Amino acid sequence: MTTSPLQSPASQALREVDTIAIAQVLLERLALTDDQWHRYKNNRPVRAREQTAAAILALLQDRQDDAQAHLQQALGLLDRSITPPPCPTHQR
């Protein structure tokens, strides 16, 4: 008999943590660091994951406009209707 992921010891511990804190940690884990930027800047799935995590956090904080903007960015990256934004430090 296998244990459901929702019943694992790790998930039990996470139940004690605030949902917004979990979303914040997820966003921090998925956000590109300065060292990763140039390696992943054009990797659409990586960038979409980052934007989706930002949208989840915004929704949990009742910032619907921000959430919608992040979700639109994520969808645009995935469907190739937008270009990934340039490097924030030197716009390349």
Side-chain angles (χ1 to χ4, degrees):
M1 182 178 199
T2 61
T3 302
S4 165
L6 296 176
Q7 297 172 355
S8 72
S11 67
Q12 294 285 347
L14 286 175
R15 287 191 186 115
E16 303 298 319
V17 179
D18 179 62
T19 304
I20 292 176
I22 292 170
Q24 180 66 46
V25 170
L26 178 63
L27 176 56
E28 290 171 7
R29 298 273 315 260
L30 294 176
L32 295 179
T33 65
D34 291 340
D35 295 339
Q36 297 171 324
W37 180 265
H38 291 285
R39 187 172 7 147
Y40 295 111
K41 68 181 178 181
N42 292 317
N43 186 319
R44 291 172 180 275
V46 167
R47 301 301 308 281
R49 286 190 289 259
E50 180 181 30
Q51 291 298 314
T52 302
I56 291 169
L57 180 60
L59 279 172
L60 291 171
Q61 295 173 331
D62 293 324
R63 296 183 294 120
Q64 289 82 10
D65 291 343
D66 290 340
Q68 183 176 3
H70 287 295
L71 286 173
Q72 287 174 336
Q73 182 86 9
L75 289 172
L77 286 162
L78 292 173
D79 70 13
R80 298 185 166 277
S81 64
I82 64 168
T83 302
C87 177
T89 57
H90 57 287
Q91 303 300 311
R92 288 192 288 178

